[in-house]
Amino acid sequence: MEPYVTVDQVWAGGLLFARLGAIIMLLPGIGEAYVPARIRLSLALLLGMALYPVVGHTLPALPPTTGGMVDWILREVATGLAIGAILRLFTSALMTAGEIVSMQTTLGFSQTANPMQAAPGST
């Protein structure tokens, strides 16, 4: 094992960080406004370092042109945003379903503060 980091390793780690950072930005709970951005970035970096030994060999090599680099980074960020948006949409659908069930079962009168929706909601 080399005591230094190669350019391909930095490139693969950057791609992994780009996707994980985009996912964590939209992840329900962690991606909320009350969680500082520094904490989210630190979590993305920590996850990237933990996942690099597992998926680092499957990531593409460094492209020869700057346009190719930008293309790969935009692809990874778009994929991460799509994954995060799907997760956020799924949890929003679950919260809406819970509201409907609580209204139908007459549990809707017990309104509590919900910081994620910035409005009171039934538990």
Side-chain angles (χ1 to χ4, degrees), residues 18-19 21-23 25-26 76-87:
R19 183 179 286 193
I23 290 172
M25 185 177 72
L26 292 177
E76 292 297 318
V77 169
T79 303
L81 289 174
I83 292 170
I86 288 170
L87 290 172

Side-chain angles (χ1 to χ4, degrees), residues 18-37:
R19 183 179 286 193
L20 287 172
I23 290 172
I24 288 177
M25 185 177 72
L26 292 177
L27 197 65
I30 298 170
E32 301 300 328
Y34 55 82
V35 178

Side-chain angles (χ1 to χ4, degrees), residues 28-76:
I30 298 170
E32 301 300 328
Y34 55 82
V35 178
R38 189 174 290 179
I39 300 294
R40 286 182 269 173
L41 286 174
S42 299
L43 181 63
L45 185 64
L46 182 70
L47 282 174
M49 289 191 311
L51 288 176
Y52 179 77
V54 178
V55 298
H57 64 282
T58 61
L59 295 171
L62 181 66
T65 63
T66 307
M69 289 172 53
V70 171
D71 182 43
W72 271 106
I73 291 172
L74 289 177
R75 249 188 250 176
E76 292 297 318

